[in-house]
Amino acid sequence: MDTAIAEKKKAIHPGAGRRNTRIQPKGRQVDPAALAEVQELLGEGSRNRDLLIEHLHKLQDRFHCLHARHLAALAAEMRLALVEVYEVASFYAHFDIVMDEEQAPPPVTVRVCDSLSCCMAGGEKLLEELPAKLGPDVRIVRAPCMGACHNAPAVAIGHALHEHATADSVAEAVAHGHTHPHIPDYPGLDAYKAGGGYALLRACLDGARTPESLIEALESSNLRGLGGAGFPTGRKWRFVRQEAAPRLMAVNGDEGEPGTFKDRHYLETDPHRFLEGMLIGAWVVEATDVYVYIRDEYPQCIAILAREIEAVEKAGLSPHTRIHLRRGAGAYICGEESAMLESIEGKRGLPRQKPPFPSVVGLFGRPTLINNVETLFWVRDIVEKGADWWASHGRNGRKGLRSFSVSGHVRNPGVKLAPAGITMAELIKEYCGGMADGHTFKGYLPGGASGGILPASMADIPLDFGTLEQHGCFIGSAAVVVLSDRDDMRAVLRNLLAFFEDESCGQCTPCRVGTEKAVKLVDQPEWDEPLLNELAQVMTSASICGLGQAAMNPLKSVLKHFREDVL
C-alpha cells in the first residue's frame, strides 16, 4: 500500500483538530443490546456504588455467568470504570467471568465441598465419580465449606444445598432440576410474637427501657462475641454509642470457618429471635441503617430473612432504622469484619488496616456496631431472664452457653448447645452419643481450621475463651471437628493449609506467598521443619489480618502433638 494512503487511513487523535478521527471513544464500547438487558434486569432499582455486588448477582443468576459485554454495560449504567467492576467480579468465587471469545459454562454447576469434614465423609470420592455420572453438560467444581459439615458430604446444585450427597442422589437431583434452595419450616412472625417475641423491642421503642439498662445487662452477663473474636458485647455497644452520630450497624452472617454452621441453625429455626436482638442493638446505638451480610452458601437463610424482614417492616417493628439485606459471593475473608464492610460497600473484600477500628470508622466511614448472628440471637433471653440466668450455665469455672458446631467422626453431629467450659470428652459422650462406630478418638479441632488441633489425650481442657491459648489453640466460633484413628494427619493438615491458600485475599505478601509456600513444603516427602517454623513465624507476626496470622496454627499443632504421624 502506498505510504501516503496508509498514513491517511490511520486514526488520528480526536483532539488533533484534523479529519479521519475515531467515530467513538477509545476502549471497549457498550453493546446496546447488553445495556438494554442490564437496564431491564436492574429495573427502577438504585445504581448506587455499594450495590455493585448485588447487581453482579442478578447478572450471574440470570445468565449463569458474567459476560464481558454485560460487565461493560453495568459499568456504564452505574457510572463506574470498567476496571472497578471487573476487579470486584473477579475477586469472588461465585462469579464466572466469560470474555468475548470464551465459551459460557453449562447452565448447571455442581459445587462439591472439599473442606475437612466433607473430605472425611467422602467428598474426594464424589469429585472423582460425578463427572462420569453427570456428563459434559454439568460443570463440577471444588468449593470450600458450605456450612453443612454435620450432614457431610455436601454439594450445592445451582443454589440448592444437597446434603448427605452420593453420586446417585446428586445425579437424580440434577435430572429433576432441583437447583433452588429448600426453605425449612420455621416459626414466622405471628408464632414468634405469640411466645412473647418483640415485647422487649416494643418496651424499648415505647421508652419503658433505656439504652443504658440494656448495655448494663449485657455487661453483667459477660456475653462475648460468638463469631470468633470474643470481644465483650456490652462494652462494644457502649463504645459505638459514645461515638458521634450518624452511626450504623452491620451483622456478620458470613460464617465461612470450616466446621461452622451454628448461625445457619439459628436462622433456619428461630430467625425472629435474631432479628429482635438486631433491632434492639440498632435502637441502643441509634443506628440509622442496619446491613445484614449473609454468605451466598446459605440461599435458604437469605430467602427466610428477605421474607421475615419484610414482615417486620410491615408490622411497624423497625421505625427507628432501615434494614438492608446483602448477599456474599463466596469469599471466606469476608468473615473478617473490616473485609465484610468493604464487601457491603460493593468492593473487594480486602481487610483494612487497624486502627481505626470499625466502632470509630466503619461502614461508609461512620461508627459501626458489628455483631455476628448468634451474639444477637441471645440478646432477648439475657435481658429478659437476667444476667444471672446466663451466668448460671457453665462448667469448670466458666459461665454462659456455647453453641458447638460438631462434625467429624461422632455418632450424632450437629449444633450442640452446651455449657461453656465443657470438655471435649464430655461433649462427645453427653451430646454426640460417643464416637461413630468403628472409630477411636484421636484428636479434635476446637475452633475450626484456624483454631489448631489437639490430641485425644488433651480432651479434658475446658472449652471456652482463654482456656486453649496456652496450648497454641483457641475456641473461635466453636467449630469442633472430631478426628479418629482412621484419619491421616498429613492429609488433614494439607487440606487445612490448601483452604487458606485458596482463600487468601492476596493483599499482603506474608499471607499471599506464605500460604502457597506452606502447601508446597508439606507436599514434600521430607519436611524442612526449620523452614516451616520460620515461615510460620513470619506469617503470624506480619500478616494484616487473622487469616494469615492463624493459617499456620494447624501446622504448629501437628508438629507439636502428632509428630510421629508426619515426620
Side-chain angles (χ1 to χ4, degrees), residues 451-529:
I453 311 174
L454 292 172
S457 60
M458 300 177 69
D460 58 349
I461 303 171
L463 299 176
D464 197 12
F465 295 114
T467 61
L468 299 167
E469 283 76 0
Q470 61 182 312
H471 305 290
C473 297
F474 56 82
I475 193 170
S477 61
V480 175
V481 183
V482 181
L483 308 175
S484 80
D485 56 333
R486 297 188 183 183
D487 293 314
D488 178 357
M489 294 307 297
R490 266 183 176 257
V492 168
L493 176 61
R494 194 199 184 283
N495 179 282
L496 299 174
L497 293 179
F499 168 79
F500 290 118
E501 178 190 15
D502 291 340
E503 295 298 327
S504 172
C505 73
Q507 180 179 192
C508 68
T509 302
C511 179
R512 181 184 68 250
V513 177
T515 51
E516 179 183 5
K517 184 69 172 178
V519 172
K520 290 181 178 178
L521 288 174
V522 300
D523 276 341
Q524 300 301 314
E526 298 291 331
W527 287 5
D528 187 338
E529 189 173 352

Side-chain angles (χ1 to χ4, degrees), residues 265-347:
H265 169 77
Y266 289 122
L267 290 174
E268 289 182 349
T269 58
D270 201 355
H272 281 282
R273 195 171 298 268
F274 150 68
L275 287 173
E276 183 172 11
M278 177 191 80
L279 290 170
I280 290 170
W283 175 79
V284 168
V285 302
E286 299 176 356
T288 59
D289 295 83
V290 180
Y291 291 80
V292 186
Y293 188 89
I294 306 294
R295 63 187 311 221
D296 197 34
E297 289 83 353
Y298 290 171
Q300 72 283 6
C301 297
I302 294 173
I304 289 171
L305 288 175
R307 180 190 302 169
E308 299 310 314
I309 288 172
E310 182 180 4
V312 163
E313 291 173 338
K314 288 182 177 179
L317 293 168
S318 58
H320 56 298
T321 191
R322 293 179 293 270
I323 307 172
H324 310 266
L325 181 59
R326 294 296 174 85
R327 177 179 166 189
Y332 165 75
I333 190 61
C334 290
E336 197 276 337
E337 61 178 10
S338 65
M340 177 192 68
L341 298 182
E342 290 288 299
S343 189
I344 291 174
E345 292 180 4
K347 305 172 185 175

Side-chain angles (χ1 to χ4, degrees), residues 3-26:
T3 303
I5 296 177
E7 286 294 328
K8 188 175 181 180
K9 288 182 175 295
K10 284 177 62 177
I12 300 174
H13 190 280
R18 292 174 289 169
R19 297 179 181 180
N20 298 321
T21 61
R22 291 182 176 86
I23 60 174
Q24 72 270 328
K26 287 184 179 180

Side-chain angles (χ1 to χ4, degrees), residues 231-422:
F231 193 86
T233 304
R235 191 188 309 172
K236 179 183 287 189
W237 287 24
R238 186 178 296 281
F239 285 167
V240 175
R241 184 173 169 79
Q242 290 172 347
E243 295 296 324
R247 295 178 284 272
L248 300 174
M249 182 176 182
V251 177
N252 192 337
D254 195 70
E255 58 170 3
E257 184 72 27
T260 314
F261 45 91
K262 59 184 178 62
D263 287 355
R264 171 195 169 186
H265 169 77
Y266 289 122
L267 290 174
E268 289 182 349
T269 58
D270 201 355
H272 281 282
R273 195 171 298 268
F274 150 68
L275 287 173
E276 183 172 11
M278 177 191 80
L279 290 170
I280 290 170
W283 175 79
V284 168
V285 302
E286 299 176 356
T288 59
D289 295 83
V290 180
Y291 291 80
V292 186
Y293 188 89
I294 306 294
R295 63 187 311 221
D296 197 34
E297 289 83 353
Y298 290 171
Q300 72 283 6
C301 297
I302 294 173
I304 289 171
L305 288 175
R307 180 190 302 169
E308 299 310 314
I309 288 172
E310 182 180 4
V312 163
E313 291 173 338
K314 288 182 177 179
L317 293 168
S318 58
H320 56 298
T321 191
R322 293 179 293 270
I323 307 172
H324 310 266
L325 181 59
R326 294 296 174 85
R327 177 179 166 189
Y332 165 75
I333 190 61
C334 290
E336 197 276 337
E337 61 178 10
S338 65
M340 177 192 68
L341 298 182
E342 290 288 299
S343 189
I344 291 174
E345 292 180 4
K347 305 172 185 175
R348 294 177 294 167
L350 301 180
R352 300 174 179 176
Q353 295 278 8
K354 300 175 186 177
F357 293 95
S359 60
V360 180
V361 180
L363 192 59
F364 306 116
R366 299 179 181 179
T368 304
L369 173 64
I370 302 176
N371 286 128
N372 89 306
V373 170
E374 193 200 353
T375 306
L376 297 169
F377 181 89
W378 291 114
V379 168
R380 173 192 165 190
D381 285 309
I382 289 174
V383 176
E384 288 185 343
K385 298 177 181 178
D388 291 341
W389 168 80
W390 181 258
S392 68
H393 300 87
R395 290 188 188 176
N396 300 306
R398 316 303 295 184
K399 294 181 180 181
L401 291 166
R402 292 306 304 263
S403 302
F404 294 93
S405 303
V406 183
S407 62
H409 300 302
V410 292
R411 187 170 282 114
N412 301 314
V415 174
K416 310 297 180 181
L417 184 59
I422 193 172

Side-chain angles (χ1 to χ4, degrees), residues 27-211:
R28 175 182 287 273
Q29 302 307 301
V30 176
D31 178 6
L35 181 60
E37 289 175 327
V38 168
Q39 291 172 337
E40 179 187 6
L41 194 60
L42 301 189
E44 298 299 321
S46 170
R47 269 61 168 173
N48 287 349
R49 172 68 173 80
D50 60 289
L51 292 172
L52 174 58
I53 294 174
E54 294 296 305
H55 294 338
L56 289 172
H57 272 305
K58 292 177 181 178
L59 287 170
Q60 177 78 33
D61 291 345
R62 170 71 67 85
F63 300 101
H64 308 294
C65 63
L66 299 177
H67 291 287
R69 63 180 185 274
H70 288 139
L71 293 180
L74 181 62
E77 185 68 11
M78 297 187 70
R79 299 190 176 186
L80 296 173
L82 179 56
V83 66
E84 290 184 78
V85 176
Y86 182 85
E87 73 175 6
V88 172
S90 61
F91 182 87
Y92 296 93
H94 290 185
F95 295 140
D96 300 301
I97 298 176
V98 177
M99 304 307 291
D100 294 335
E101 67 279 4
E102 295 178 340
Q103 184 176 359
V108 176
T109 293
V110 174
R111 301 181 188 275
V112 182
C113 179
D114 68 353
S115 288
L116 182 58
S117 297
C118 283
C119 281
M120 291 162 59
E124 291 294 336
K125 184 180 179 183
L126 269 180
L127 283 163
E128 294 173 2
E129 295 177 349
L130 284 178
K133 199 77 174 178
L134 300 180
D137 294 332
V138 177
R139 182 177 62 155
I140 301 162
V141 297
R142 290 178 176 269
C145 186
M146 300 175 182
C149 318
H150 55 315
N151 295 324
V155 306
I157 305 172
H159 284 158
L161 188 61
H162 186 80
E163 300 169 292
H164 295 301
T166 66
D168 289 337
S169 69
V170 173
E172 182 180 0
V174 171
H176 288 85
H178 296 162
T179 59
H180 297 287
H182 167 71
I183 309 301
D185 292 330
Y186 65 90
L189 177 60
D190 291 339
Y192 181 71
K193 289 173 68 176
Y198 290 111
L200 176 59
L201 175 63
R202 285 290 189 190
C204 294
L205 296 176
D206 293 342
R209 297 270 189 167
T210 65

